Amino acid sequence: MFLPENLSFYGALSASQRERLRSSAREHSFARGAPVYDGDCTGLLLVQEGRLRVYTLSEEGKEITLYRLNAGDVCLFSASCALRGVSFTLFVSAEADTRVCLIPADVYKALSEESAAVGAFTAQLMAERFSQVMWVLDEVLSKKFDARLAALLLREREYAGGDELKLTHEQLAAHLGTVREAVSRMLKYFETEGLVSLSRGSIRLTDKEGLRELAQKN
């Protein structure tokens, strides 16, 4: 279980700061598909189990997945009011039944101002998350759609633990920031090329090496 005591800066806190951190932490559960964060300053989320999806919206209102958070990961931007100079809006939803430990934003902000170790943790985690976001933007701007979809299917295979993906075309479109019809057309093409096999609510990867070669294309 990922508790406040597991945070890298915990050992650098004073006894009173540790007690404040522990006593303020609360556990919350979210069913698959439930919204977790929609722009309000919630606080720091420590993922206990399950998976969270962090995404943004394009000007046209299309969802674009930025990154996922698994058990043992920390959602920092849900405590955005505790971060100086962060003004953009992200959204978080549960991609599976998920339990989190929540540290309220006001508590985390106070600790960040009091402790250099907490400030360093925040800066490092923010840099990692921005790096993930910039990678996604580079993918969107520089890679062809077929390569992006192939790469997404391979990433989803890691989460599924096998070649059978229980995903809808609409879910894939939300990850890529496009429309369902575009995904359906490309998947149909992939099927004619022997890369995947399609059935209702399911996609089976039949040529992983071919998908890898396609995913590496610019």
Side-chain angles (χ1 to χ4, degrees):
M1 184 175 293
F2 189 35
L3 300 173
E5 292 91 327
N6 301 127
L7 289 165
S8 61
F9 58 75
Y10 186 81
L13 299 178
S14 66
S16 62
Q17 289 170 331
R18 292 179 188 178
E19 175 58 28
R20 197 189 327 162
L21 185 67
R22 288 195 303 267
S23 63
S24 68
R26 296 290 183 271
E27 187 173 290
H28 296 271
S29 296
F30 300 92
R32 179 180 180 180
V36 176
Y37 169 74
D38 60 2
D40 293 332
C41 195
T42 304
L44 201 71
L45 299 177
L46 317 181
V47 183
Q48 307 288 308
E49 63 180 30
R51 185 168 69 248
L52 299 179
R53 170 180 171 244
V54 181
Y55 64 97
T56 188
L57 297 176
S58 69
E59 292 184 359
E60 297 78 21
K62 297 185 179 68
E63 297 180 3
I64 303 175
T65 299
L66 299 176
Y67 51 87
R68 268 79 163 257
L69 298 170
N70 298 296
D73 288 332
V74 177
C75 187
L76 176 66
F77 292 121
S78 52
S80 57
C81 61
L83 309 176
R84 294 179 181 177
V86 176
S87 58
F88 57 84
T89 301
L90 299 180
F91 303 89
V92 182
S93 63
E95 255 194 350
D97 291 344
T98 302
R99 286 191 305 111
V100 303
C101 179
L102 169 67
I103 299 172
D106 58 340
V107 173
Y108 188 72
K109 182 178 182 180
L111 290 174
S112 297
E113 293 171 348
E114 297 169 13
S115 169
V118 179
F121 170 83
T122 302
Q124 180 181 351
L125 190 56
M126 188 183 297
E128 292 174 0
R129 298 294 179 242
F130 272 122
S131 177
Q132 291 173 297
V133 170
M134 292 307 296
W135 181 85
V136 170
L137 293 178
D138 181 64
E139 289 277 299
V140 171
L141 294 173
S142 64
K143 271 201 169 185
K144 293 182 179 179
F145 180 59
D146 58 350
R148 292 175 58 215
L149 179 56
L152 175 59
L153 292 175
L154 292 171
R155 288 197 298 273
E156 291 295 334
R157 180 181 181 274
E158 296 179 9
Y159 289 120
D163 295 334
E164 192 80 19
L165 309 183
K166 298 296 183 182
L167 288 168
T168 66
H169 298 187
E170 188 171 3
Q171 287 173 311
L172 292 172
H175 287 314
L176 296 170
T178 186
V179 295
R180 179 183 58 80
E181 292 77 10
V183 170
S184 297
R185 286 194 296 270
M186 189 59 69
L187 285 174
K188 195 64 181 175
Y189 170 72
F190 282 4
E191 187 173 44
T192 63
E193 293 294 303
L195 300 173
V196 303
S197 175
L198 304 177
S199 57
R200 187 175 183 84
S202 177
I203 303 166
R204 173 169 286 276
L205 308 189
T206 53
D207 183 358
K208 294 182 288 296
E209 189 56 39
L211 287 169
R212 290 190 186 97
E213 291 178 5
L214 184 58
Q216 292 169 2
K217 287 173 52 180
N218 291 326

